[in-house]
PDB file of all heavy atoms in Angstrom:
ATOM      1  N   ASP X   2       6.450  34.166  -2.309  1.00 79.00           N
ATOM      2  CA  ASP X   2       7.095  34.850  -1.187  1.00 79.00           C
ATOM      3  C   ASP X   2       6.559  34.392   0.107  1.00 79.00           C
ATOM      4  O   ASP X   2       5.394  33.977   0.242  1.00 79.00           O
ATOM      5  CB  ASP X   2       6.906  36.343  -1.306  1.00 79.00           C
ATOM      6  CG  ASP X   2       7.619  36.967  -2.548  1.00 79.00           C
ATOM      7  OD1 ASP X   2       8.611  36.341  -2.942  1.00 79.00           O
ATOM      8  OD2 ASP X   2       7.161  38.017  -3.056  1.00 79.00           O
ATOM      9  N   LYS X   3       7.415  34.445   1.150  1.00 78.00           N
ATOM     10  CA  LYS X   3       6.979  34.052   2.490  1.00 78.00           C
ATOM     11  C   LYS X   3       5.936  35.052   3.000  1.00 78.00           C
ATOM     12  O   LYS X   3       6.102  36.272   2.869  1.00 78.00           O
ATOM     13  CB  LYS X   3       8.198  34.098   3.399  1.00 78.00           C
ATOM     14  CG  LYS X   3       7.821  33.685   4.818  1.00 78.00           C
ATOM     15  CD  LYS X   3       9.123  33.636   5.703  1.00 78.00           C
ATOM     16  CE  LYS X   3       8.731  33.223   7.113  1.00 78.00           C
ATOM     17  NZ  LYS X   3       9.963  33.122   7.962  1.00 78.00           N
ATOM     18  N   SER X   4       4.886  34.551   3.572  1.00 79.00           N
ATOM     19  CA  SER X   4       3.787  35.397   4.067  1.00 79.00           C
ATOM     20  C   SER X   4       4.125  35.877   5.458  1.00 79.00           C
ATOM     21  O   SER X   4       4.690  35.160   6.293  1.00 79.00           O
ATOM     22  CB  SER X   4       2.473  34.592   4.131  1.00 79.00           C
ATOM     23  OG  SER X   4       1.482  35.360   4.752  1.00 79.00           O
ATOM     24  N   HIS X   5       3.836  37.125   5.682  1.00 82.00           N
ATOM     25  CA  HIS X   5       4.009  37.721   7.034  1.00 82.00           C
ATOM     26  C   HIS X   5       2.643  38.050   7.655  1.00 82.00           C
ATOM     27  O   HIS X   5       2.596  38.837   8.593  1.00 82.00           O
ATOM     28  CB  HIS X   5       4.875  38.978   6.940  1.00 82.00           C
ATOM     29  CG  HIS X   5       6.291  38.648   6.471  1.00 82.00           C
ATOM     30  ND1 HIS X   5       7.212  38.050   7.269  1.00 82.00           N
ATOM     31  CD2 HIS X   5       6.861  38.881   5.259  1.00 82.00           C
ATOM     32  CE1 HIS X   5       8.349  37.873   6.564  1.00 82.00           C
ATOM     33  NE2 HIS X   5       8.132  38.360   5.353  1.00 82.00           N
ATOM     34  N   ALA X   6       1.587  37.443   7.122  1.00 83.00           N
ATOM     35  CA  ALA X   6       0.225  37.701   7.600  1.00 83.00           C
ATOM     36  C   ALA X   6       0.057  37.223   9.046  1.00 83.00           C
ATOM     37  O   ALA X   6       0.663  36.174   9.421  1.00 83.00           O
ATOM     38  CB  ALA X   6      -0.788  37.069   6.658  1.00 83.00           C
ATOM     39  N   THR X   7      -0.766  37.826   9.763  1.00 85.00           N
ATOM     40  CA  THR X   7      -1.079  37.411  11.136  1.00 85.00           C
ATOM     41  C   THR X   7      -2.592  37.573  11.340  1.00 85.00           C
ATOM     42  O   THR X   7      -3.246  38.326  10.638  1.00 85.00           O
ATOM     43  CB  THR X   7      -0.369  38.265  12.201  1.00 85.00           C
ATOM     44  OG1 THR X   7      -0.737  39.618  12.064  1.00 85.00           O
ATOM     45  CG2 THR X   7       1.151  38.113  12.052  1.00 85.00           C
ATOM     46  N   ALA X   8      -3.118  36.833  12.350  1.00 87.00           N
ATOM     47  CA  ALA X   8      -4.498  36.945  12.710  1.00 87.00           C
ATOM     48  C   ALA X   8      -4.579  36.602  14.187  1.00 87.00           C
ATOM     49  O   ALA X   8      -3.727  35.863  14.699  1.00 87.00           O
ATOM     50  CB  ALA X   8      -5.359  35.986  11.850  1.00 87.00           C
ATOM     51  N   ALA X   9      -5.617  37.092  14.818  1.00 90.00           N
ATOM     52  CA  ALA X   9      -5.772  36.801  16.287  1.00 90.00           C
ATOM     53  C   ALA X   9      -5.893  35.328  16.499  1.00 90.00           C
ATOM     54  O   ALA X   9      -6.583  34.578  15.815  1.00 90.00           O
ATOM     55  CB  ALA X   9      -7.051  37.526  16.739  1.00 90.00           C
ATOM     56  N   GLY X  10      -5.069  34.804  17.429  1.00 89.00           N
ATOM     57  CA  GLY X  10      -5.046  33.394  17.719  1.00 89.00           C
ATOM     58  C   GLY X  10      -4.250  32.507  16.781  1.00 89.00           C
ATOM     59  O   GLY X  10      -4.126  31.314  16.941  1.00 89.00           O
ATOM     60  N   MET X  11      -3.674  33.108  15.729  1.00 85.00           N
ATOM     61  CA  MET X  11      -2.903  32.339  14.753  1.00 85.00           C
ATOM     62  C   MET X  11      -1.538  31.914  15.351  1.00 85.00           C
ATOM     63  O   MET X  11      -0.911  32.683  16.050  1.00 85.00           O
ATOM     64  CB  MET X  11      -2.638  33.214  13.511  1.00 85.00           C
ATOM     65  CG  MET X  11      -1.887  32.509  12.461  1.00 85.00           C
ATOM     66  SD  MET X  11      -1.795  33.599  11.009  1.00 85.00           S
ATOM     67  CE  MET X  11      -0.053  33.407  10.607  1.00 85.00           C
ATOM     68  N   VAL X  12      -1.222  30.658  15.098  1.00 82.00           N
ATOM     69  CA  VAL X  12       0.044  30.116  15.541  1.00 82.00           C
ATOM     70  C   VAL X  12       0.757  29.529  14.326  1.00 82.00           C
ATOM     71  O   VAL X  12       0.194  28.876  13.545  1.00 82.00           O
ATOM     72  CB  VAL X  12      -0.187  28.951  16.581  1.00 82.00           C
ATOM     73  CG1 VAL X  12       1.172  28.354  17.011  1.00 82.00           C
ATOM     74  CG2 VAL X  12      -0.939  29.470  17.780  1.00 82.00           C
ATOM     75  N   THR X  13       2.035  29.917  14.212  1.00 78.00           N
ATOM     76  CA  THR X  13       2.849  29.419  13.136  1.00 78.00           C
ATOM     77  C   THR X  13       3.665  28.210  13.629  1.00 78.00           C
ATOM     78  O   THR X  13       4.345  28.323  14.636  1.00 78.00           O
ATOM     79  CB  THR X  13       3.798  30.488  12.595  1.00 78.00           C
ATOM     80  OG1 THR X  13       3.029  31.589  12.150  1.00 78.00           O
ATOM     81  CG2 THR X  13       4.650  29.959  11.420  1.00 78.00           C
ATOM     82  N   ILE X  14       3.478  27.090  12.985  1.00 74.00           N
ATOM     83  CA  ILE X  14       4.241  25.892  13.375  1.00 74.00           C
ATOM     84  C   ILE X  14       5.318  25.703  12.288  1.00 74.00           C
ATOM     85  O   ILE X  14       5.009  25.407  11.154  1.00 74.00           O
ATOM     86  CB  ILE X  14       3.287  24.663  13.417  1.00 74.00           C
ATOM     87  CG1 ILE X  14       2.185  24.926  14.404  1.00 74.00           C
ATOM     88  CG2 ILE X  14       4.083  23.414  13.810  1.00 74.00           C
ATOM     89  CD1 ILE X  14       1.063  23.882  14.447  1.00 74.00           C
ATOM     90  N   PRO X  15       6.581  25.819  12.689  1.00 74.00           N
ATOM     91  CA  PRO X  15       7.679  25.677  11.700  1.00 74.00           C
ATOM     92  C   PRO X  15       7.809  24.202  11.323  1.00 74.00           C
ATOM     93  O   PRO X  15       7.609  23.271  12.081  1.00 74.00           O
ATOM     94  CB  PRO X  15       8.916  26.146  12.445  1.00 74.00           C
ATOM     95  CG  PRO X  15       8.601  26.025  13.877  1.00 74.00           C
ATOM     96  CD  PRO X  15       7.097  26.158  13.995  1.00 74.00           C
ATOM     97  N   GLY X  16       8.143  23.993  10.017  1.00 71.00           N
ATOM     98  CA  GLY X  16       8.372  22.673   9.538  1.00 71.00           C
ATOM     99  C   GLY X  16       9.777  22.194  10.030  1.00 71.00           C
ATOM    100  O   GLY X  16      10.659  22.963  10.302  1.00 71.00           O
ATOM    101  N   ASN X  17       9.954  20.887  10.121  1.00 71.00           N
ATOM    102  CA  ASN X  17      11.236  20.317  10.489  1.00 71.00           C
ATOM    103  C   ASN X  17      11.791  19.486   9.338  1.00 71.00           C
ATOM    104  O   ASN X  17      11.214  18.437   9.048  1.00 71.00           O
ATOM    105  CB  ASN X  17      11.046  19.483  11.774  1.00 71.00           C
ATOM    106  CG  ASN X  17      12.318  18.890  12.263  1.00 71.00           C
ATOM    107  OD1 ASN X  17      13.358  18.945  11.607  1.00 71.00           O
ATOM    108  ND2 ASN X  17      12.292  18.277  13.449  1.00 71.00           N
TER     109      ASN X  17
END
Side-chain angles (χ1 to χ4, degrees):
D2 293 335
K3 181 176 180 179
S4 173
H5 297 286
T7 61
M11 182 174 134
V12 176
T13 302
I14 301 171
N17 182 351

